[in-house]
């Protein structure tokens, strides 16, 4: 059974969407969202992003799913979140930091009352941006293999030592949600615990990693003798695996809004094909190009249809094992295929006119999407892991 509020009517959703659009038009910063370039470039952009995110909380468009006593809305429904995500993407406005939503979800469900009072208000004010300190050099998508260790001291504090990598937004995050091995005799899913780590703590060193798109989005984080108070532990000792899995499951709703990225890719692809020349004529007049774009458009519609159905089943509490993996896999692989072809077409086609800004922007976005597309097939669980989950949970195939 669903635990959500009453489903909004079509008219109510239209009215809500108009409110969201008006807010974006009035308050979005003059920073166009770019794939693979989501982190701020400088202090001024960071200040603009923090004001923008705080404003979304204030308006009730982000964090509305929180309990009312912590700032949420009594009439919240997941479809509201999807509308917000869709409209932000369509406006090419900066998207809220995903890791903040996951951290808030973990704190609300597993944090102590003191932790919620202390850590949730700075999130709503956007004073705290969070990152996820999960992956490690030898434990990328397989986070059950983490080796970063935490040792409890006689005074109740913890000393953390280890290395995390591929940490999105780590270079400007204020807090990190860390998965740490607190039982040195344990292995795999056992003996793991979750901690809230101030990124300014002594012993925390962040080393940015420049991506193929010439941006700083991800980082290495070294934890050397980092001392954490006892109240930095989130949940119970050894509960880490179930906490992080519950947090990652929460992200399944987010993919519903992200299908708009597939629509935007097709829009840019068609813009290039209609307005750029190959052999002296518009690319879209070539039968092979027209056929390929039609096939990719069908793939996008298939991905959207499954994800739409997936979100509806989640809302109804009727999702099946592996649904989230299919949705994530469908989105990531379709995004990659469309962006690869779009980048190839953009590179082969000549602009109709060098002053055609729309075509140039579409070509540049396709190139950036292609460079970033592999990240979608890895982050949140690689495509290989998604297929493995499907084999075990959906097809019930034996392990080994």
């Amino acid at each position: 059974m669903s635990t959500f509020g009453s489903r909004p009517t079509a008219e109510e959703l239209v009215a809500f969407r108009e409110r969201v659009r008006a807010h974006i038009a009035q308050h979005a910063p003059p920073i166009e969202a770019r794939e693979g370039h989501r982190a701020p470039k400088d202090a001024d952009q960071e200040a603009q992003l923090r004001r923008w995110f705080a404003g979304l909380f204030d308006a009730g468009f982000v964090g509305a799913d929180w309990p009312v006593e912590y700032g949420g809305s009594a009439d919240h429904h997941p479809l509201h979140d999807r509308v917000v995500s869709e409209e932000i993407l369509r406006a090419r406005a900066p998207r809220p930091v995903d890791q903040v939503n996951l951290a808030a979800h973990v704190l609300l469900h597993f944090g102590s009352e003191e932790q919620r009072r202390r850590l949730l208000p700075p999130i709503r004010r956007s004073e705290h941006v969070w990152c996820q300190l999960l992956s490690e050099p030898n434990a990328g998508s397989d986070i059950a293999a983490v080796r970063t260790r935490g040792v409890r001291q006689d005074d109740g504090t913890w000393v953390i030592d280890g290395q995390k990598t591929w940490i999105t937004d780590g270079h400007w995050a204020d807090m990190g949600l860390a998965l740490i091995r607190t039982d040195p005799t344990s292995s795999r899913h056992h003996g793991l615990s979750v901690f809230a780590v101030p990124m300014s703590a002594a012993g925390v060193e962040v080393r940015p990693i420049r991506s193929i798109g010439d941006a700083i989005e991800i980082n290495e984080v070294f934890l050397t003798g980092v001392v954490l108070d006892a109240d930095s532990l989130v949940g119970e000792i050894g509960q880490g695996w179930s906490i992080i899995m519950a947090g990652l499951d929460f992200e399944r709703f987010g993919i519903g809004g992200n299908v708009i990225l597939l629509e935007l890719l097709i829009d840019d692809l068609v813009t290039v094909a209609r307005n750029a020349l190959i052999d002296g004529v518009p690319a879209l007049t070539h039968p092979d190009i027209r056929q390929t774009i039609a096939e990719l458009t069908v793939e996008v519609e298939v991905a959207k249809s499954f994800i739409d159905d997936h979100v509806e089943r989640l809302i109804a509490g009727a999702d099946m094992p592996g649904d989230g993996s299919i949705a994530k896999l469908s989105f990531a692989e379709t995004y990659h295929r469309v962006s690869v072809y779009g980048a190839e077409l953009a590179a082969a086609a000549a602009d109709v006119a060098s002053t055609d800004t729309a075509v140039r922007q579409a070509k540049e976005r396709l190139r950036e999407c292609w460079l970033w597309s592999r990240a979608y097939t890895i982050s949140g669980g690689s495509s290989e892991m998604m297929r493995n989950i499907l084999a075990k949970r959906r097809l019930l195939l034996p392990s080994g």
Side-chain angles (χ1 to χ4, degrees), residues 225-247:
V226 178
V227 179
L228 300 178
D229 294 336
D231 60 5
S232 297
L233 176 70
V234 180
E236 302 295 329
I237 298 174
Q239 194 184 8
W241 180 257
S242 59
I243 290 175
I244 293 299
M245 288 301 102

Side-chain angles (χ1 to χ4, degrees), residues 295-340:
E295 291 172 353
L296 291 172
T297 303
V298 169
E299 286 192 44
V300 165
E301 291 303 317
V302 169
K304 286 170 53 184
S305 296
F306 180 85
I307 293 169
D308 287 344
D309 186 56
H310 168 59
V311 170
E312 289 297 330
R313 289 200 302 274
L314 282 171
I315 292 171
D319 54 314
M320 297 175 60
D323 272 3
S325 297
I326 296 174
K328 197 271 181 183
L329 186 64
S330 179
F331 167 79
E333 294 296 327
T334 302
Y335 182 100
H336 176 64
R337 283 193 290 272
V338 176
S339 63
V340 167

Side-chain angles (χ1 to χ4, degrees), residues 123-161:
I123 289 178
R124 297 192 75 90
R125 296 191 298 267
S126 203
E127 294 170 2
H128 281 181
V129 169
W130 286 67
C131 62
Q132 296 173 26
L133 299 171
L134 305 181
S135 297
E136 298 185 4
N138 293 309
S141 294
D142 183 17
I143 59 174
V146 300
R147 295 186 297 178
T148 297
R149 63 190 184 277
V151 179
R152 183 159 52 179
Q153 308 300 296
D154 293 339
D155 62 358
T157 61
W158 292 84
V159 176
I160 310 297
D161 288 279

